Amino acid sequence: MSFSQPLTRRSLFQATALLGSATLMPAAFATLTPSVLESGLWSAKALPLGQHAAGAVKRHAFITEACSGALAKPAFVAYMTLNIAYLTDYARSLDMLASRVGAFADLKTESEALRTWAKETVGVKDWCIDLYQQIAKRNYNAKRVPSFPAGVDYAKFERMYVLKYDVAVGMAALLPCFWIYEEIGGHIAKLRQTQGNAYSEWLESFGTQASHEAALKAVALADKLAARADDTVRRQMTDVFVAGCWKEFACFDAAYRTLFRNL
C-alpha cells in the first residue's frame, strides 16, 4: 500500500464533517483488510486476536449509552479528559517512531506518514478540547483536570515499546488506536441516535470511509515492518498489539466507572 499521500487522522474528522454518515464503514473490517486475506502477513493472525477486546468495547455501557444519548455527562467529560491527555502523548510516540523508522533508507516515506499522523493527532486533540468545552460547559485547563491511570498507563506502554523495542513492535503498540476505533466505528454507525443526542458530533466521527482507509494504511505499515523482522519480533508484535487493544477498553471503562466512585 502506498504512503505517498497518507490519509491523516485530522482528515478523518474533516471528512466526517463533510460526509456525515453518508459513507459508512463496512460492518466487518477484518473481511475487507487485504492483509487479513493474505495469510503470509503478520496481521492475518494478529487482528483476529484483537477481536475479543474490540467486542468488549462495542458491548461496553459507555458506547451503548453514548449511542442512545443516555450516557451521563460526567462519564463523557471524563473520557474526553483522559483522551486529550492521551492524544498529546500519542502524537509524541508517533513522532518518536517516525524518527526511528526514518533511520532506514528505504522507509523514508513510511517515516513521513508517521510524522504526518503525529502532527494531525495534535489537531484531533484540539477538536477533542473543543468538544470537551461544548459538553462540559467550561474551559479546558490541563492543570485543573484529573489524570486517569488507565490513560497514563496506556501512553507509557506505547512510549516504552516505541523507544525500547524493534520498530515493528513499536508500530504494533500504536496500531490499536487506529484499529479499535475502526472496528467499533461500524457498530456505532448502526447504533447511534444523533437527533437530540448531546454526543452526536463525537458519534458522527466514527464509521466513515476515510477512517477505514486510514486504518488500512496503518495495518499495511505494521505488515511492512513485520515482513522485515524475525519470528520472535513478530510474536512480540502480536502480544503487544493485543495488550494495546485491551488498554483501549480500559480507557472507556475507566471513564464510565467515574459514575460509581461513591458506591
Side-chain angles (χ1 to χ4, degrees):
M1 184 170 294
S2 172
F3 287 88
S4 58
Q5 293 183 321
L7 183 64
T8 66
R9 295 177 70 77
R10 178 65 170 171
S11 69
L12 305 189
F13 292 99
Q14 293 172 334
T16 298
L18 292 171
L19 300 177
S21 59
T23 55
L24 299 182
M25 178 198 73
F29 169 72
T31 62
L32 291 183
T33 305
S35 57
V36 171
L37 302 178
E38 300 175 36
S39 60
L41 296 179
W42 167 79
S43 59
K45 295 181 179 179
L47 298 189
L49 294 176
Q51 286 291 345
H52 295 292
V57 175
K58 292 174 187 178
R59 295 187 295 271
H60 200 286
F62 185 100
I63 297 298
T64 58
E65 291 178 15
C67 284
S68 70
L71 182 67
K73 185 172 73 173
F76 188 82
V77 171
Y79 182 75
M80 284 292 105
T81 301
L82 181 157
N83 200 40
I84 290 164
Y86 165 78
L87 289 172
T88 301
D89 288 320
Y90 188 68
R92 292 170 182 157
S93 290
L94 283 164
D95 253 334
M96 292 172 190
L97 187 62
S99 295
R100 293 191 65 202
V101 168
F104 297 92
D106 60 333
L107 293 176
K108 300 298 184 183
T109 301
E110 288 74 13
S111 173
E112 185 57 34
L114 286 161
R115 206 169 296 283
T116 298
W117 281 330
K119 292 176 182 177
E120 299 300 338
T121 296
V122 175
V124 175
K125 182 196 75 171
D126 292 341
W127 178 81
C128 288
I129 290 174
D130 290 342
L131 191 55
Y132 169 96
Q133 293 178 158
Q134 175 185 322
I135 300 296
K137 306 299 183 185
R138 59 177 178 267
N139 290 332
Y140 176 82
N141 186 329
K143 295 181 179 180
R144 295 184 178 180
V145 296
S147 63
F148 287 83
V152 173
D153 173 69
Y154 190 14
K156 287 183 177 179
F157 168 89
E158 291 174 329
R159 184 164 59 251
M160 178 184 71
Y161 285 106
V162 163
L163 289 177
K164 303 294 185 181
Y165 286 72
D166 189 278
V167 292
V169 179
M171 185 61 207
L174 298 181
L175 185 59
C177 187
F178 282 92
W179 187 77
I180 286 288
Y181 274 76
E182 165 67 5
E183 275 295 297
I184 68 175
H187 181 72
I188 287 175
K190 289 180 178 180
L191 288 184
R192 63 190 176 203
Q193 301 171 28
T194 55
Q195 188 171 1
N197 189 330
Y199 314 118
S200 60
E201 186 176 350
W202 183 72
L203 293 168
E204 288 173 353
S205 71
F206 289 89
T208 67
Q209 186 62 30
S211 65
H212 180 63
E213 292 174 9
L216 286 177
K217 287 179 181 291
V219 171
L221 176 50
D223 275 329
K224 184 167 186 176
L225 296 176
R228 301 162 61 93
D230 59 26
D231 287 342
T232 298
V233 169
R234 284 191 286 270
R235 285 193 290 270
Q236 288 176 336
M237 288 179 69
T238 300
D239 292 341
V240 168
F241 169 73
V242 174
C245 289
W246 281 109
K247 288 183 184 297
E248 288 281 346
F249 170 86
C251 288
F252 285 105
D253 192 57
Y256 193 76
R257 284 189 286 111
T258 61
L259 300 177
F260 306 99
R261 281 178 173 169
N262 296 323
L263 293 181

